[in-house]
Each structure stands twice: as C-alpha cells, then as structure tokens.
Amino acid sequence: MALTGSDLVARALQKQGVDTFFYIMGAPMLSVESAALALGLRGIDVRHEQAAAMAAHAYARLLNRPGVCMAASGPGTTNLITGVAHAFADCTPVVALGGSSPESQSHKGTFQEIDQLAMLSPCTKWSDRVHRPERIPELLGRAIREAMSGKPGPVYLDLPADVLFAEVDEERVEWPEPWDPARRPRPAAAPAEVRALTDLLAEAERPVVVSGMGVLWSEAEAELQTFVEAAGIPFYTTPQGRGAIPEDHELCYPAARSTAFREADLILIVGTRMNYIIGHASPPRFGAAAKIARIDISPEEIATSSRRLDVGVVADARTALTQLTGAIRSRVTQKNFAAWRDRLAEQNRSKLAEHERTLADDAVPIHPLRLCRELRDFMDREAILCVDGQEILNYGRQVIPTYVPRHRLNSGTFGTMGVGLPLGVGAKVACPDRPVIVLHGDGSFGMNAMEFDTAVRCELPILVVISLNGGWTGDPEKERPGRELGYTRFDKMAEALGGYGEYVEKPDDIRPALERAMAEVDSGRPALVNVVTDWRARATTAAFTKYVT
C-alpha cells in the first residue's frame, strides 16, 4: 500500500500518542491536517500561528506530555517563532511542524522559499529537515523523545512540500517505539552526593528550598512535599513552578520571602535555573555567606551555575528527593529549624494582615490589587489561572495563590506578551473539566485578542478578566512614549464574537460580574469581564531585572 508523506506524519503522530494539534490551515500542510483529522486527532484551528505554539505550550505544561503545533510554509512557520522561543525559554516540550517549499525547487525563488530551519534552530532544543518520506516516523519519534528527555524543550521538524506529497510503499517504513513517559531516564544522586547534602542540612540553621518547573516535569511534587515536611524546611517556588505544594501549606511563608532569601544560610535549589528569576541566587537578594546546593537533571545547568556551588548534583528531582528524604531521617527533623520557621511565620502573619488592608481599597478607578483580591476570593481552588501583562502580572503574583501543580501559567521567563488567551485555549483543551481563568492586561490582550473567537468556535468555555488601565503599563507621570491605548470595550468585542461580556467600573461590582460571567462559562459559553483599573498604579514587587519596559 502506498502512503504519502502527509499520511505518514499523521500516522506517526497517532502512534506516538498525540491526540491534539493546534494549527492554521495552509499548504503544504493541508494534507497532513486532513489525514490527522481523519484518524481522529483533534485539531484546534487558531487565528495566529504564534497562538498555536502558545496553546501547545499550555497543553504540554498541564499534561506533562508534548504539545503539537503545525503551520504552513513561509510566514505561517515564521509566525510560530515567538511561541516556540517562549517555550524554549520556559523549557517546555512543544513539537512544531512546519511545511516548507519543495526541496526540488530550492534556490530558484519558489513560492515562500526561506530557510525556516535556520530560523527555528536557535530557539529549539533540536531541529531537523525531512529529506525522504520513509524517514518521517523515525524523525518525528526522535523529535518527541528530544522534546521530553532530560531538561524538556521545544523541537522543530521541517517538512518540504515534495516530501509530503511523495508516495512510499508502507512496507519500506519502519515505525519507532512510541514515546513512553514511564521509561524516561531517572538518574540518581551518587551516595557521596546524598551524604554531602545531608551534611549541609545537618549543619544549617536557616535553610530554604527553592524549586521550579523541573520538579513538575519530573512529577516530583509529592516527593518535594514529603521532603520539606520531614525536614521542616520553608519552601519557595519560581513563578513557573507554583503549586508544586499548595501555597497555604504550613511551611509556605510568601510574605516573608525576602527575609528568607536574605537570611538563609543554606539554599537548596531543585529543578530550576539560577537565572534572573531568582536573582542568580546571589547577593544582595541572597546572603553572601550562604551555602548553595543544587539538584538538576541537566549537567550544563550544574556546570554553568552563576554562583559557586557547595554541592551540585546531576539527578532526576523525584529520584534525588526520595534519596534525600531517606538519608536525613536520623540527622535532620523539624526540630532543627523550629526557631527559623517561627521567625518567618511571624513576619508572614504581620505582613499578610497589612497586605489584606491594602487589598480592600475602595478607590475608583479600581486599583489592580482590588481586582486581584476579588478574583482570588472568587476562584475555585482547582482553577487553572493564566496571567499575562505587566502591572497585572506583578499584582497577580503578589495576591493570587496556587494550590495545584501546573495550574499557574504566565508570560514566563521570556516575558512574552500576548500569551494569556492562547494559554487559556490550550489549558481548556488539556483539562476540559477544570475552570480556566485568564487574567489579562489590556495591552497584552490586544496582541492575540482574536483567540477569543477560537474559544467560541471550538466550544472552549473560558473566563477572561481584563485589567483595563488604558495602556501598556501603569504610568502615573504619563511620561512613557506609546503607552496610551484608550479604554477599549473588549466586552462588546466578546459579545460580537458570540461570547458573553461585562463592563465594570466600581470595585463592589466586580464579584457580581464574575459570578454572572462564570454562570455563562458553566453553560458552555466563553465570557469576558472588562474591568476599568487605575492607570497610575505601578506594581512595587521586587524587580526581576535592572530595567523595566
């Protein structure tokens, strides 16, 4: 039986366990998309290719499996780049498939001819071009294994039109083993490394654990909680790693974060990079005399740590945390750090009480903190929250906790604007039974606003809440060029696209509007609540970088 290259792409995806892809129709990928749909894969057709990559990103994060996006040749594939680069910065396994101009016509100026592989290579973990149709299953299988192995990341496979249209005898095709998450390598820490970590913990007086997405990719959230409870160590996560342990846990002291970092004498970093997000674990954010230990699956991460490590361990987080929990039993217990926890707990209590008074602000225009408080108190504990913007991103980080692993998605390490609504679309596809809420700044919403149409067409009932401060950022002095955007009635746009819309100007009207909107979502209709907020409000959270946009 003869199969086309397009048939082989579709069958290879199915055999690898892929059941969903995000795309915009276009040649030469039309035949791939048709074949995949005929096999029963679900195709979510978005309104911009970057949104396809971003939705695949959310799908991958929530399900701990590859998210697949595909695009037509030329501008279709170049439009993927921002979403793929976002996944690269966030170490997320997005599998991007791009159609390309025929190889037989290369260097002849054929339609949409451009070196897509060269453009995607710098922002992917692995990339390649298929030259012969019979190798499609092999290379697609490799793409998925590359995306999911070690430190995850996006991959790209370039699919020339003549390779997709070529026919090959099915008997000549070799089908690789499907990717199996149960068989992923889980390297252990060496016994000497476990002893060294245990010694550091036994000698410490004020340790903290800082964890990131690596814990979630390793599916080590239960092991992390078991370890911190056994040792009685305060824990903190990166924004991307939130929810690994519920943030109302007794060992979580969010309002004492700065004190904990500054005064800790041991920082154990698990499954996250020592980048700007955690201030490179360096002074002044962290104490200069603190001991530093790291557990990471990537040898490159350990080798290139931005601060000298006292102990660096190349290991899987789940395996290493299990080893460490067993090793500390006779030497480290909750009693070791009782005084340290008491200090952080007292500071946490006093600051939270002060913070709650700030959140009760009744001013008009509405302060973004009040909007975040209303949303916090309204949200279901297991809701998936996608946050995108500038001021609202920072305010949301301060106010809204996360209780479930993988249920917090945001603009990420790359600081990508416009991800919110696409992330919400991907999240709802991945977890149709969970509430999905997108908290957006008005500027960032405008970048992919038409994905609200995707939510309507594809019957993905999500709730979008917009902080409408009339521009790109808080600007109390009105000194930033290009800041002004006006107060767009996005609620009317939502209605025009077939969804439900609300417009809110007073703080006491937020909760009723959210309730009405969520009732519409529960009935199967996407909804948008457009909340006018104070254009002067600037978030005062600690700066991640030395500059602001």
Side-chain angles (χ1 to χ4, degrees), residues 55-67:
H57 180 125
Y59 182 92
R61 283 275 303 272
L62 282 156
L63 297 182
N64 234 5
R65 60 188 291 185

Side-chain angles (χ1 to χ4, degrees), residues 106-128:
S106 63
H107 307 299
K108 291 186 176 181
T110 192
F111 179 62
Q112 294 185 336
E113 181 182 6
I114 194 167
D115 193 346
Q116 298 169 183
L117 192 62
M119 289 188 285
L120 270 296
S121 293
C123 57
T124 52
K125 184 181 175 185
W126 175 88
S127 59
D128 206 347

Side-chain angles (χ1 to χ4, degrees), residues 378-386 401-404 406-408 434-437 518:
F378 167 78
M379 283 176 53
D380 185 275
R381 187 178 177 88
E382 295 189 343
I384 299 165
L385 179 66
C386 309
T402 302
Y403 304 110
V404 180
R406 302 172 192 85
H407 278 38
R408 185 68 163 257
R434 291 287 171 95
V436 174
I437 299 174
M518 187 56 80

